[in-house]
Amino acid sequence: MHEERDRDRMLMPRLAGVIGSIGASRFDERLAELVTATAAIDQFTVFAWNGGGADGCLFSWHRAQPELTATLCRRYVEGRYFEHDLGLVRLRRAESRSGLVRCEQIEDDSYRRVFFDRPRLGAKLSVLDGGVYLNFYKRAGDEFSEAEIDNLAAVSPVLSQGLLRHRSLSKGAGAAPVPPKLGEVQRLLASKAARLTPRELAVCARTVCGYSAEAIGLDLAIAQSSVATYRKRAYGKLGISSQHELFALCLSAATAAA
């Protein structure tokens, strides 16, 4: 009983903070505060689910490697890795009476290497709430306690519905710009730069989409030094010398295609 009151005292102000910040710029920060107060997690990701696949990432957070997590979320959607996510498979089959499932065995070696070994994650809990798929992770070697599982099950509806409402409101004035889609950027650059090799094109497209050198290396499975080499060669072929000029080239291609 005392533990339940202590949990409520800890979570209620954070729940109020999330609700009060819906539609505001501080929403993402408040959401992360609520989740980390609910359980000692190391990563939290949320995807829009349309019934047949993941439409995109609604939210991603990592205690120490947020950029890596954002990159992996893009890979999860664009590479259709959700088809190999056993937690999602179980949830879609309604095998969990509580709505929350543990991901204890990962049979697909490629999926495990990309989404668990690389970010050094272990235990995972997932919940599918209508059009929202939420995932909570602990670092390798750690496990969720029963109290943490109960807490996450209790706040998951607030997380999912709050996110949907916030993203809906954020589509209006003051919303953050929607990042360009990688495939579209790559096609635009290809129309302006037929001389680029596939690897040079891939590096430039990811640069335009905001990937860092580290994220590009991880996404293409190449060293950061190779990223720099491919980018330099591409710039030489394009007759440019900076990232700003690359953005301008892509913008001119988009304008011509409009």
Side-chain angles (χ1 to χ4, degrees):
M1 191 69 170
H2 290 298
E3 290 180 2
E4 189 171 324
R5 283 201 299 268
D6 290 341
R7 184 196 71 186
D8 289 344
R9 272 198 299 270
M10 180 175 63
L11 294 183
M12 289 308 293
R14 289 172 173 81
L15 280 166
V18 168
I19 295 170
S21 63
I22 289 175
S25 60
R26 63 184 183 277
F27 175 83
D28 286 4
E29 180 183 349
R30 295 291 181 266
L31 193 73
E33 289 175 354
L34 171 60
V35 175
T36 52
T38 304
I41 65 168
D42 291 274
Q43 180 173 289
F44 173 49
T45 62
V46 186
F47 297 92
W49 180 254
N50 64 16
D55 278 337
C57 181
L58 295 175
F59 187 87
S60 69
W61 175 89
H62 191 285
R63 189 175 299 280
Q65 304 179 84
E67 191 174 74
L68 172 59
T69 298
T71 298
L72 293 179
C73 284
R74 285 192 289 264
R75 289 195 69 181
Y76 182 86
V77 175
E78 293 171 3
R80 299 186 67 84
Y81 277 96
F82 52 81
E83 295 176 351
H84 307 279
D85 186 338
L86 291 183
L88 182 56
V89 170
R90 290 183 59 201
L91 285 165
R92 294 183 69 195
R93 291 175 179 169
E95 293 180 8
S96 171
R97 286 175 295 176
S98 67
L100 235 135
V101 300
R102 297 176 189 257
C103 186
E104 297 172 337
Q105 293 182 334
I106 307 164
E107 298 174 359
D108 188 299
D109 289 340
S110 175
Y111 184 88
R112 185 185 66 252
R113 283 196 302 271
V114 173
F115 296 101
F116 286 84
D117 294 347
R118 181 173 293 170
R120 299 176 184 175
L121 298 171
K124 173 188 174 185
L125 288 174
S126 301
V127 60
L128 186 61
D129 182 16
V132 181
Y133 179 46
L134 305 98
N135 300 276
F136 310 94
Y137 300 80
K138 289 211 179 230
R139 63 187 178 185
D142 288 355
E143 296 292 337
F144 287 95
S145 69
E146 291 304 316
E148 287 179 322
I149 294 172
D150 290 342
N151 289 351
L152 290 170
V155 303
S156 286
V158 175
L159 300 176
S160 59
Q161 296 308 306
L163 262 169
L164 288 176
R165 180 61 175 162
H166 174 71
R167 297 302 181 229
S168 175
L169 291 175
S170 296
K171 290 179 181 178
V178 177
K181 293 183 178 180
L182 182 59
E184 293 177 5
V185 172
Q186 196 151 315
R187 284 192 294 274
L188 286 171
L189 286 175
S191 69
K192 280 282 188 178
R195 294 176 57 212
L196 296 187
T197 66
R199 188 65 87 188
E200 290 165 353
L201 186 61
V203 168
C204 286
R206 284 160 176 76
T207 300
V208 172
C209 287
Y211 289 43
S212 68
E214 179 185 12
I216 294 173
L218 287 169
D219 203 29
L220 298 178
I222 58 177
Q224 286 190 54
S225 58
S226 297
V227 172
T229 298
Y230 286 122
R231 185 182 286 151
K232 183 177 180 180
R233 289 176 182 170
Y235 283 8
K237 292 178 180 179
L238 295 170
I240 61 176
S241 59
S242 70
Q243 189 170 299
H244 293 298
E245 289 178 287
L246 179 63
F247 290 160
L249 182 68
C250 189
L251 181 59
S252 68
T255 302

